Amino acid sequence: MSTGVEQAEGAPTRSGAVYALLLGLGALDAGGYSLIAPVLPGLAAQTGASATALGMLVAMFPLGMIAGFALGGAVIRRSSPAQLLLGGLSLVAAGSLGFILSTDVAVFAVSRLVMGMGSGGLWLGITFATLAAWPGQEYLCMSRIYAAYSAGGLLGPLLGAIHGVRGPFGAYLALVLLAIVPAVTLRLPATGGAFAPDRRALHSPGFRASAVAIAFAVLALGTLEGVLPLHFGTKLGQAQIGVLYAATSVVVAVAGAVAARWQPRMVLLVSTVLVAAGFTLAGTSTAVCAWIAALVIAGIGIGLANTGATGVLLDAVPARRIVTALVLWSQIGILGYLVAPAIGGPVADAFGYGAVAVVVALAAMGVAAMLARRDRP
């Protein structure tokens, strides 16, 4: 029986309402993981957890996403983006409840894991629905999806600015439940047979370059959201951090959308310079004005890196054979979000936040080296 959310196979959906839904779900999804940044100082005060422990808590979300990508890849080969979206929203809602009903760090960790699994399903559902509905316009449409995700980075900090832990997650849960209604009622494109797995694509230089690039982009984002808030918390309150991160998300969104006008590899090279410079300034400074300037620079770099990495992937792998490549690419990318707090927290505890900037700069050098190697005859 149809769920009321599928369209006849082979007829691409170009509805403005569907596009609005996909963009909105992207923003909502991103809000789920950016929500944690302003809440971290409050969690530290409530639980007494160290930067290392909180870094591990943040890392549970991307760990769940990796599992969600694997499950989502299996679903998309047998079902539709609609099923992925509804399943993802349900898991995100369940995980949010953990932060509302408990005060225990272990429960918080499991809740973030569940939310991450839901987020993985949402990402694949949004992406495959976009690729199916707008064939031939994948790079442009995906740059806008990334811009929506970056705008969700605005939503998360604004919700996170609500006092305490239960308040932000309660507000987010309400939005997730509201999103289920249009996800059920709108007719999304069916993808049965439209996308095929192809492991040969994983051996192409373009795929490898895109995978390194997306890992770098998400590593930078994970460091920004999972490590630096504790640095900023030495002079800023929870609401102030929320506003600072919301403004940074606007910068990321605009940069990501504009980046589709240029060649992906050039965009990536510029992003490595900006991200390294921004994080160096943020990590080594203790002045609020310097932090603001640093996040503008880093935000532009992250936006460029997201779109550039996607463009390199789409150039390397035909959209209709992208299932295997997209799942693995997404998993490699989110490893950056997993590694960022897992490494950044202990590094910050041991050597300070300037050393965290060195980790990001080394990752930027790795991306630049990969792209330079591809330039050689």
Side-chain angles (χ1 to χ4, degrees):
M1 177 180 293
S2 172
T3 61
V5 290
E6 296 182 14
Q7 177 174 302
E9 186 177 327
T13 297
R14 295 180 182 272
S15 163
V18 168
Y19 203 13
L21 171 64
L22 296 176
L23 293 173
L25 288 177
L28 183 65
D29 185 15
Y33 50 81
S34 63
L35 172 64
I36 197 69
V39 179
L40 278 179
L43 281 171
Q46 177 177 308
T47 63
S50 66
T52 298
L54 291 175
M56 295 300 177
L57 170 63
V58 172
M60 295 303 288
F61 191 93
L63 186 63
M65 288 185 74
I66 292 172
F69 291 145
L71 292 173
V75 169
I76 203 66
R77 289 193 288 268
R78 298 173 176 83
S79 185
S80 69
Q83 300 298 327
L84 273 180
L85 293 176
L86 292 176
L89 288 170
S90 299
L91 287 172
V92 169
S96 299
L97 275 175
F99 285 87
I100 298 170
L101 301 177
S102 180
T103 58
D104 185 78
V105 174
V107 174
F108 292 158
V110 173
S111 297
R112 285 301 279 176
L113 182 71
V114 173
M115 290 182 74
M117 292 177 65
S119 179
L122 283 175
W123 162 250
L124 288 186
I126 292 166
T127 300
F128 281 111
T130 302
L131 297 180
W134 290 274
Q137 302 179 55
E138 293 90 350
Y139 185 41
L140 175 62
C141 290
M142 285 305 300
S143 74
R144 292 172 179 171
I145 292 294
Y146 269 116
Y149 265 81
S150 299
L154 170 66
L155 171 66
L158 289 177
L159 294 177
I162 299 172
H163 181 70
V165 176
R166 289 190 177 94
F169 281 91
Y172 182 68
L173 175 60
L175 293 177
V176 171
L177 295 177
L178 286 174
I180 291 176
V181 177
V184 169
T185 56
L186 286 178
R187 294 171 62 85
L188 296 177
T191 58
F195 298 101
D198 184 357
R199 298 190 64 85
R200 292 174 298 175
L202 307 182
H203 302 293
S204 70
F207 173 78
R208 290 195 294 268
S210 71
V212 171
I214 195 61
F216 161 68
V218 184
L219 171 73
L221 181 65
T223 303
L224 182 68
E225 295 181 349
V227 181
L228 288 186
L230 298 174
H231 180 42
F232 299 150
T234 58
K235 290 193 174 180
L236 299 174
Q238 181 171 337
Q240 292 172 313
I241 294 174
V243 171
L244 179 62
Y245 273 66
T248 304
S249 296
V250 173
V251 174
V252 175
V254 172
V258 171
R261 300 182 180 185
W262 300 298
Q263 289 295 322
R265 295 174 67 240
M266 183 193 73
V267 166
L268 277 174
L269 285 172
V270 173
S271 77
T272 61
V273 176
L274 293 176
V275 169
F279 275 87
T280 299
L281 180 58
T284 57
S285 176
T286 58
V288 174
C289 289
W291 290 343
I292 294 172
L295 292 188
V296 170
I297 297 169
I300 294 173
I302 292 171
L304 296 180
N306 280 332
T307 297
T310 305
V312 172
L313 175 67
L314 292 172
D315 282 346
V317 185
R320 298 298 159 180
R321 296 192 288 110
I322 205 171
V323 172
T324 305
L326 182 62
V327 170
L328 182 59
W329 181 83
S330 299
Q331 289 175 322
I332 291 172
I334 209 60
L335 280 174
Y337 202 87
L338 176 64
V339 167
I343 292 179
V347 168
D349 283 339
F351 306 108
Y353 291 94
V356 174
V358 173
V359 174
V360 176
L362 290 173
M365 292 172 61
V367 175
M370 172 69 77
L371 294 172
R373 185 159 53 243
R374 287 196 65 212
D375 280 334
R376 294 171 187 164

